[in-house]
Amino acid sequence: MNKMPAKTFATLGVLLCVMYFSYRYYSAETNAAVLRETTLDHSIQKVSVITPKMLPPNETITLPGNIQAWYEAQIFAQVSGYVKMWHKDYGAIVKKDDVLAEINAPALDAQYAQAKADLETERARYVLAELTAKRYVALRPNQAVSEQSISVQVQEAKAQAAKVRAAEQNVRNFEALIRFKTIVAPFDGVVTARNINVGNYVNKEATPGEGGSSAIRDLFTVADVGKLRLFVSVPETFGPFLQPGLTADVTVPQLPNRHFTGKFLTVARGFDVGTRTAITVFEIDNADRALWPGSYATVRLTAPVEKNILTIPTTALVFQEHGAQIALVSADDRVHFKPITMNRVLDNVMEITEGITESDRIINNPSAALLEGDKVRIVTPTVGYDLVTGEKPAPEATAPKHEPSAKPL
């Protein structure tokens, strides 16, 4: 009876030893498999890929522009005199024929009075000449005077009539000048400049302004701002799109949050040889007078373009001794370097004309350690990794790996 428990204890000890060594063997094999899997996983480089994108079906360029009034008139003095009074100041809204200023011209008034007096004199002489001619003609039947004398008197009356007409025209000339004593607005608009003050002497040669300087200057400047003209120097590459129907998105510094629309009006149809640009004019509706003439404008032109050109991020380029290349991932997940033909750089992307297709898987930010034919694994970049697209992809879903652990006996 005492030997049976001893045998049982020995059997249990053997079983426990067998289980322990079996577990150690299983654990070693499992750890070796995990190590092999980890080693193989680390030996394959992980890469992120992008696919080429087609350029949008339009092209946009941003250019500086200059806004000018639809009409702008500089009003100069046509008579000599002194400013009697000005009636419209800077920024005044005026209608056509509104009085802007009055000029006192005593010398002109005297000349006008003299012209009217000369007219009366010529009219009196004409009356006398006409009466004399009639009397001479009346004496013709009696042959009291010679035919030569009659002809002289008749022609003298005609000459005097011509002098009357000349004197009348001279009076009308002075009347026209007299009207220039009153400065009026040529059209509806806004007074953008007033360069005179009361008492200033003005004439066609030199007009002293408020600062006292003497120069040929305008008295007023009136601008029609109901519509405005936008002048833009457009480069020749955009020339084919400068035609009716083209619109421009316009912003100005003083109204940064408001956008205006410019409609194509005309183009110079010739490029400046120095800048290779063409002066293009757009029309802007300005019914609320929010825009002012002389404003600087930022102009964005967008036109339809069908180039069928693919683009890739500049970070996908590989520069080697044979020129620019890209690293493709083949169907069997191996690296293949392929030469490309570049067109131009647009911000952070590059136009590619040859060497890629829309279905290509191109390695973004390729490592210098990548070689032709290397096996790679495609992974989704983590947030903040892809600086080109700025996208935030969802994290890759992976099943957690559990390593075997010893259970308490």
Side-chain angles (χ1 to χ4, degrees):
M1 295 296 295
N2 294 335
K3 293 182 179 180
M4 292 298 296
K7 292 181 179 180
T8 301
F9 180 78
T11 303
L12 289 175
V14 172
L15 289 174
L16 287 175
C17 289
V18 171
M19 292 176 62
Y20 173 75
F21 285 110
S22 297
Y23 169 75
R24 291 297 302 268
Y25 177 78
Y26 171 78
S27 177
E29 288 295 323
T30 303
N31 290 337
V34 171
L35 180 60
R36 285 194 299 271
E37 181 181 352
T38 303
T39 303
L40 290 175
D41 182 68
H42 288 174
S43 66
I44 299 177
Q45 294 196 49
K46 299 177 182 179
V47 296
S48 65
V49 297
I50 54 96
T51 56
K53 295 182 179 180
M54 189 69 68
L55 278 176
N58 53 58
E59 183 173 352
T60 300
I61 58 174
T62 302
L63 300 168
N66 184 28
I67 296 176
Q68 297 295 334
W70 188 254
Y71 297 120
E72 186 175 81
Q74 295 179 319
I75 303 173
F76 292 84
Q78 295 296 316
V79 297
S80 298
Y82 297 90
V83 178
K84 181 179 179 181
M85 179 58 66
W86 54 264
H87 301 283
K88 301 295 181 181
D89 205 352
Y90 289 95
I93 299 175
V94 297
K95 297 291 185 180
K96 183 179 180 180
D97 295 330
D98 280 356
V99 177
L100 304 179
E102 297 176 85
I103 298 175
N104 186 16
L108 178 61
D109 294 339
Q111 292 174 341
Y112 177 48
Q114 180 65 49
K116 290 191 291 184
D118 291 341
L119 174 59
E120 294 301 322
T121 300
E122 296 300 334
R123 284 174 175 171
R125 290 176 178 174
Y126 169 67
V127 171
L128 177 60
E130 186 179 29
L131 179 60
T132 302
K134 289 180 179 179
R135 288 176 177 174
Y136 270 70
V137 171
L139 294 174
R140 177 179 288 162
N142 299 327
Q143 296 183 352
V145 292
S146 65
E147 192 65 30
Q148 174 67 24
S149 298
I150 296 173
S151 299
V152 169
Q153 293 302 322
V154 170
Q155 295 303 319
E156 182 66 28
K158 292 181 179 180
Q160 195 58 46
K163 291 181 180 180
V164 170
R165 291 192 294 271
E168 290 174 343
Q169 183 59 50
N170 190 40
V171 170
R172 286 193 291 269
N173 291 344
F174 277 104
E175 288 175 346
L177 290 175
I178 288 295
R179 286 194 290 271
F180 282 118
K181 291 170 56 179
T182 302
I183 308 300
V184 298
F187 45 74
D188 296 352
V190 177
V191 177
T192 59
R194 174 183 63 81
N195 297 319
I196 57 172
N197 212 337
V198 175
N200 283 153
Y201 176 75
V202 297
N203 59 25
K204 293 186 293 185
E205 286 74 29
T207 299
E210 293 189 64
S213 61
S214 295
I216 299 176
R217 64 170 63 200
D218 53 314
L219 310 183
F220 291 89
T221 300
V222 178
D224 178 4
V225 296
K227 289 192 299 184
L228 299 172
R229 300 178 195 267
L230 171 66
F231 293 85
V232 186
S233 295
V234 180
E236 58 184 354
T237 55
F238 218 70
F241 311 110
L242 301 178
Q243 53 189 344
L246 179 66
T247 59
D249 178 64
V250 184
T251 57
V252 293
Q254 62 269 30
L255 299 170
N257 297 323
R258 183 171 176 181
H259 291 256
F260 300 86
T261 300
K263 299 178 181 178
F264 176 85
L265 187 63
T266 187
V267 64
R269 297 190 180 277
F271 294 106
D272 185 289
V273 295
T275 61
R276 303 302 178 186
T277 59
I279 299 296
T280 308
V281 186
F282 293 85
E283 173 188 342
I284 303 177
D285 182 36
N286 192 40
D288 60 353
R289 295 187 170 91
L291 291 174
W292 294 356
S295 297
Y296 171 86
T298 300
V299 185
R300 294 174 181 84
L301 300 178
T302 302
V305 179
E306 294 183 2
K307 292 185 176 181
N308 295 323
I309 295 179
L310 296 173
T311 63
I312 61 173
T314 55
T315 53
L317 294 178
V318 177
F319 293 96
Q320 296 186 353
E321 59 181 357
H322 300 296
Q325 295 181 330
I326 55 172
L328 300 177
V329 178
S330 62
D332 57 351
D333 293 339
R334 294 191 177 276
V335 177
H336 171 60
F337 289 94
K338 188 176 182 181
I340 57 173
T341 302
M342 299 181 296
N343 184 26
R344 58 175 178 168
V345 178
L346 302 173
D347 294 332
N348 58 352
V349 298
M350 177 77 71
E351 288 185 356
I352 308 299
T353 56
E354 294 181 8
I356 60 175
T357 63
E358 289 186 79
S359 61
D360 285 343
R361 297 185 299 174
I362 302 174
I363 299 176
N364 192 21
N365 291 304
S367 170
L370 285 177
L371 299 175
E372 179 73 23
D374 280 356
K375 185 76 173 179
V376 293
R377 177 180 298 173
I378 298 176
V379 297
T380 302
T382 58
V383 177
Y385 176 80
D386 193 347
L387 300 178
V388 176
T389 62
E391 298 177 350
K392 295 183 178 181
E396 184 178 8
T398 57
K401 296 182 180 180
H402 297 281
E403 294 186 0
S405 58
K407 295 182 181 181
L409 297 176

